[in-house]
Amino acid sequence: MSLLTILEFPDPRLRTKAQPVTEFDSALSSLIDDMIETMYQAQGIGLAATQVNVHQRLLVIDVSENHDTPQVFINPTFTIVDEELNDYDEGCLSVPGFYETVSRPRKIHVTAQDRNGETFELEAEGILATCIQHEIDHLDGKLFVDYLSNLKRQRIRSKLEKEHRKSA
Ligand code: GNR
Ligand code: NI
């Protein structure tokens, strides 16, 4: 397995719209394992392929207490079950160091495929619902900072650009 590099805002590659996964082969399985390893190493609860510069519709999540139950979602879609919004203090491995409140539908119904291409469905609420929506946004080239005011997003962009210059 190998660790993958996580792109950081405002990298334009994070704006790429991911394409559906069509080949459920060993290369896909290796990518999934690398993404899970990268998510754990970065201490994140989710990771979308877009963040590691792979523009396929694939994401991994682990919201379990012991960080030992990774979930894989390929070609995921969701419908809103409960329009009621949940506020969550969101962070993102591609926007390191910043946390802001985002409102999203609290309960969703998700359809996705597993690494063998088998379709499954589940209902998600709480942090899992928030995380799945955050990750699917990544696959569509969207970041949580897009829900903030232009001023806040601009400030975050400037601070991260400054950090990137320092470490370049
Ligand atoms: O690690 C993460 N924590 C988190 C907290 C609240 C809402 C969403 C997330 S996802 C994030 C990892 C990440 O950037 N996934 O894309
Ligand atoms: Ni993220």
Side-chain angles (χ1 to χ4, degrees):
M1 288 203 279
S2 42
L3 288 176
L4 307 170
T5 303
I6 299 175
L7 302 177
E8 294 188 3
F9 177 70
D11 193 310
R13 291 172 289 183
L14 288 167
R15 299 308 187 178
T16 312
K17 188 171 164 63
Q19 299 302 312
V21 170
T22 55
E23 305 285 347
F24 293 83
D25 55 10
S26 63
L28 178 69
S29 236
S30 300
L31 171 62
I32 291 166
D33 292 337
D34 289 347
M35 284 177 61
I36 291 171
E37 188 187 16
T38 302
M39 170 180 71
Y40 287 139
Q41 198 268 343
Q43 296 187 320
I45 58 171
L47 186 70
T50 307
Q51 292 177 277
V52 295
N53 202 27
V54 173
H55 302 289
Q56 296 188 39
R57 304 192 73 82
L58 157 66
L59 57 94
V60 297
I61 288 181
D62 190 342
V63 293
S64 71
E65 203 156 321
N66 297 322
H67 308 290
D68 59 359
T69 314
Q71 291 178 277
V72 178
F73 297 83
I74 301 170
N75 300 327
T77 59
F78 73 92
T79 57
I80 297 166
V81 174
D82 186 346
E83 300 274 353
E84 191 95 34
L85 299 177
N86 214 2
D87 287 351
Y88 212 95
D89 229 18
E90 295 197 19
C92 181
L93 296 172
S94 296
V95 191
F98 295 89
Y99 298 86
E100 295 287 347
T101 305
V102 177
S103 301
R104 300 184 190 268
R106 66 170 288 277
K107 191 168 182 184
I108 58 174
H109 183 92
V110 183
T111 303
Q113 285 163 282
D114 66 17
R115 68 168 82 206
N116 303 313
E118 294 292 334
T119 299
F120 65 95
E121 301 185 31
L122 60 81
E123 296 227 321
E125 50 192 324
I127 180 64
L128 181 60
T130 292
C131 195
I132 291 171
Q133 292 173 77
H134 173 117
E135 304 309 341
I136 292 178
D137 271 355
H138 276 301
L139 301 181
D140 291 324
K142 191 157 186 183
L143 298 168
F144 87 93
V145 296
D146 300 344
Y147 296 98
L148 310 179
S149 68
N150 291 333
L151 179 62
K152 271 192 180 171
R153 187 169 51 259
Q154 216 28 260
R155 280 185 180 149
I156 292 172
R157 173 197 277 267
S158 301
K159 287 179 187 168
L160 284 174
E161 280 176 337
K162 198 170 168 184
E163 285 190 20
H164 296 157
R165 280 199 298 274
K166 272 194 284 184
S167 59

